[in-house]
Amino acid sequence: MAEEQYDLVILGGGTAGYVAGIRASQLGKKVAIVENQLLGGTCLHKGCIPTKTLLKSAEVLHTVKTASLYGIDTEQFSINYNQIMDRKNEIIQQMYTGIEHLMKHNHIDIYNGTGRILGSSIFSPRPGTISVEYEDGTSELLPNDYVLIATGSKPAELPFLKFNHQTIISSTDLLKMEQLPESIVIVGGGVIGMEFASLLNDFGTDVTVIEAGERILPSENKNIANNLKKHFTDRGIKIYENVQLSEGSFTFKDEVVEINEADLKITADKILLAIGRTPNTSDIGLNNTKIVTDAKGFIEVNENQQTAEQHIYAAGDCIGKLQLAHAGSKEGTTAVEAMFEDNTMPVDYNTIPRCIYTYPEIASIGMTLEEAKDADFTKARSFKVPFKAVGKAVIEDATQQDGFCELVVDQDTDTVLGLSMIGPHVTELINEVALLQFMNGSTLELGLTTHAHPSISEVLMEAGLKAAKRSVHA
């Protein structure tokens, strides 16, 4: 048993876990993190960072291909995919080293093993003591006052289509591939599927997307989803919506996959399953607690991230809210402050930005107009500003002249209910809107804030002015 009881033991060293650990350390608490792989979790090693690194290389390649639009003639260029992967690995290692330094700086103890929650026993009158099991068969107990579950998630499979990590692959498999496939079918038109479709297309892979629902990006603004579909189709990406696949849809032979479903007939080297993620909650000892999970295994929490066991909290992908690294960080911080401080601020998911790093980029926050109407905002109205009305946007990207910013406003109160954008660098612009929402700013305040000219962010100023019936260029 550990020599000293911990104030907090965190299961999982991903973004939600290690950020929560740092916050607890800042509050003077003794913290341990149990991680069975590498600190940084999915975001650093299998998700955000490697994917966005590849997407940056794809963006540069796209610029090279379209350089003539800027008056630059490029007759010859080539893709060095080995160097692209080396750069990705170097960035991951650099950031991993940084996290290790943060753990030491904040005096957080790291246990590299598999953590499970034990039930009540003669050592503890309540469940929550963490057993850490190591590869050599030994184990260790970590008594504590509080537990934060931040065990993350993994790529989901279909009941009739399981990963074999060769022809049927996950996003994790794809990020480790040393050679790009000549052709690929992406099953799932959500964020993960769209990002991989974008980068693979730029790298020269023949890409087909199959979506079971009525449209790609079902949780985003419909106009933006249609805009992205047009861009992708123009680039040669084939998108099929409303296609229900079954076990009989697939034939595997000679290291290729054939898909036959109604009038759809496709042959490809690989199938990427991008249908979402499933929580890592099945073998962490939840059966020893009162913790409640939903039908998919996601842990149910209250507004302070607290589970049905009052001293056990949960954050990140394992609770199934916005499965975004920055959302997990916010949830983890909220949980720690709920444990150790009197005044806490519950997570407001309407103020958390959502970004899609395709080409073109997409960013949004809050509600779409349809969602606002469904939420009984009867006076909700949207105001759209095209990027072509903003000089710097036209200068910056000659291939995205149909991008736009759409602001959703409750006209009764001049409250910003949501905003969506598709266009150049919108994943950076959205943070200004996040601050506006956090400060409860109005459309007029957004419009009257002086923005540098020329800058792409002027599109936000124009949107605020348009909602206030004072637009200049839109």
Side-chain angles (χ1 to χ4, degrees), residues 19-29 31 106 108 333 336-337:
V19 170
I22 291 172
R23 182 64 187 127
S25 177
Q26 291 171 345
L27 295 174
K29 305 304 176 182
V31 182
N106 287 278
I108 297 171
T333 301
V336 167
E337 292 176 348

Side-chain angles (χ1 to χ4, degrees), residues 8 21 110 139 162 181 185-186 219 260 278 293 339 360 364 373 439 444 473:
L8 171 63
I110 306 299
S139 63
K162 304 292 185 181
V185 171
I186 300 175
S219 61
N260 290 277
T278 186
T293 60
M339 294 173 196
S364 56
K373 295 286 189 182
M439 301 298 292
L444 186 58
H473 298 101

Side-chain angles (χ1 to χ4, degrees), residues 152-163:
S153 64
K154 60 186 176 183
E157 301 173 307
L158 288 168
F160 53 85
L161 201 61
K162 304 292 185 181
F163 296 122

Side-chain angles (χ1 to χ4, degrees), residues 138-150:
T138 62
S139 63
E140 189 169 3
L141 299 182
L142 307 181
N144 58 77
D145 294 329
Y146 290 96
V147 172
L148 174 65
I149 302 171

Side-chain angles (χ1 to χ4, degrees), residues 77-106:
F77 62 88
S78 60
I79 301 172
N80 187 334
Y81 194 66
N82 288 335
Q83 188 173 340
I84 290 173
M85 295 297 282
D86 287 344
R87 180 173 183 267
K88 178 205 73 170
N89 295 333
E90 288 168 4
I91 290 172
I92 292 172
Q93 184 58 46
Q94 178 182 335
M95 300 192 73
Y96 176 64
T97 301
I99 294 174
E100 287 187 312
H101 171 75
L102 288 173
M103 297 300 97
K104 292 177 182 177
H105 177 74
N106 287 278

Side-chain angles (χ1 to χ4, degrees), residues 367-378 417:
M367 293 183 279
T368 64
L369 180 61
E370 293 80 4
E371 290 170 337
K373 295 286 189 182
D374 290 342
D376 293 329
F377 288 98
T378 57
L417 299 176

